[in-house]
């Protein structure tokens, strides 16, 4: 889905910052339509909001009616890119349904699909909720999946970074794995046999 800011930029002549504030904080959209504005991802560090088809259609209509803040001397005109985004709604609706399914997987693991196993953020949330914070095993989409955790100490020894690894045998009989990748602590002196001398135990 497209970020709200990018959708607004596809409306010729719109004052994008003022329009963004109106969309996000004003009363241009009803409470129901604002539910069609979604976080781009589950990351706490990703503050981008993306727009669904119903909100896009409402904003596009407001643009045609001259209800959006415009740049000086500008007026609404043809906006084929924005119109196509709002009109071709089924792919967007399918993406919204898929996002909801993945979110609901944490509470209802029966919704998990084998294709989800490569998303380690989702897998971590599913395992934490249903198997606890440490290593564990769950049967997901009819497949036994195992979670292992490796810890890497900081040079001071006061903190630990963790790598989570998920392993399973796929429905095609092939052994597979996914994981978070090594934390930055894995590359420091304490975790390098050639450079770990002189550190406190």
């Amino acid at each position: 889905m497209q970020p709200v800011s990018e959708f607004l930029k596809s409306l010729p002549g719109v004052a994008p910052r003022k329009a963004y504030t109106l969309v996000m904080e004003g009363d241009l959209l009803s409470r129901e339509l604002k539910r069609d504005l979604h976080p781009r991802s589950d990351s706490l560090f990703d503050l981008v909001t993306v727009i669904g088809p119903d909100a896009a259609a409402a904003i596009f209509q407001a643009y045609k009616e001259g209800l959006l803040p415009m740049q000086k001397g500008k007026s609404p005109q043809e906006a084929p890119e924005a119109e196509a985004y709002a009109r071709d709604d089924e792919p967007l609706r399918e993406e919204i349904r898929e996002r909801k399914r993945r979110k609901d997987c944490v509470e209802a693991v029966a919704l998990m699909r084998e294709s989800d196993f490569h998303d380690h953020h989702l897998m971590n949330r599913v395992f934490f909720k249903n198997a606890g914070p440490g290593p564990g095993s769950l049967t997901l989409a009819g497949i036994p999946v195992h979670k292992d955790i490796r810890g890497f100490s900081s040079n001071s020894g006061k903190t630990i970074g963790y790598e989570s690894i998920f392993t399973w045998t796929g429905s095609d009989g092939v052994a597979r794995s996914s994981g978070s990748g090594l934390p930055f602590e894995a590359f420091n002196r304490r975790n390098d046999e050639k450079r770990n001398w002189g550190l406190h135990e």
Side-chain angles (χ1 to χ4, degrees):
M1 285 190 288
Q2 200 173 90
V4 174
S5 57
E6 291 302 312
F7 180 76
L8 291 171
K9 288 178 182 178
S10 70
L11 300 171
V14 159
R17 291 185 180 179
K18 291 180 179 179
Y20 183 86
T21 299
L22 177 62
V23 168
M24 301 300 292
E25 301 175 13
D27 57 3
L28 180 75
L29 298 180
S30 66
R31 182 177 299 179
E32 181 178 354
L33 283 172
K34 282 188 176 180
R35 295 194 188 100
D36 201 30
L37 304 177
H38 312 270
R40 182 169 61 181
S41 73
D42 294 326
S43 172
L44 296 176
F45 303 102
D46 188 349
L47 303 180
V48 174
T49 299
V50 295
I51 187 168
D54 295 330
I59 293 171
F60 181 63
Q61 184 62 35
Y63 170 73
K64 292 194 297 182
E65 294 176 4
L67 301 178
L68 294 184
M70 302 294 290
Q71 300 170 23
K72 187 175 181 179
K74 301 290 184 178
S75 59
Q77 53 185 286
E78 295 295 319
E81 184 180 337
E83 184 176 9
Y85 184 87
R87 182 184 65 245
D88 301 335
D89 61 341
E90 187 51 37
L92 299 176
R93 295 188 192 283
E94 176 57 31
E95 183 175 343
I96 292 169
R97 287 192 290 268
E98 176 63 6
R99 287 162 62 97
K100 183 179 186 305
R101 180 194 67 80
R102 290 165 66 84
K103 181 179 180 181
D104 292 345
C105 281
V106 178
E107 299 288 342
V109 296
L111 297 174
M112 288 288 288
R113 299 172 181 169
E114 188 174 349
S115 58
D116 296 326
F117 296 177
H118 291 282
D119 183 344
H120 73 271
H121 292 293
L122 175 60
M123 293 290 279
N124 268 325
R125 294 197 302 275
V126 168
F127 266 78
F128 188 88
K129 175 67 177 180
N130 298 280
S137 298
L138 289 172
T139 298
L140 304 172
I143 297 173
V145 183
H146 307 283
K147 176 184 178 181
D148 294 308
I149 296 177
R150 291 196 301 167
F152 299 87
S153 294
S154 64
N155 283 334
S156 67
K158 294 180 179 179
T159 61
I160 299 177
Y162 294 95
E163 177 190 24
S164 55
I165 304 169
F166 303 93
T167 56
W168 69 95
T169 298
S171 57
D172 57 1
V174 177
R176 302 185 187 280
S177 66
S178 69
S180 60
L182 293 171
F184 71 88
E185 289 89 351
F187 303 98
N188 63 23
R189 283 180 57 202
R190 182 174 291 277
N191 296 292
D192 185 338
E193 293 182 357
K194 297 180 180 179
R195 299 185 296 138
N196 65 0
W197 49 269
L199 296 174
H200 294 291
E201 296 296 330

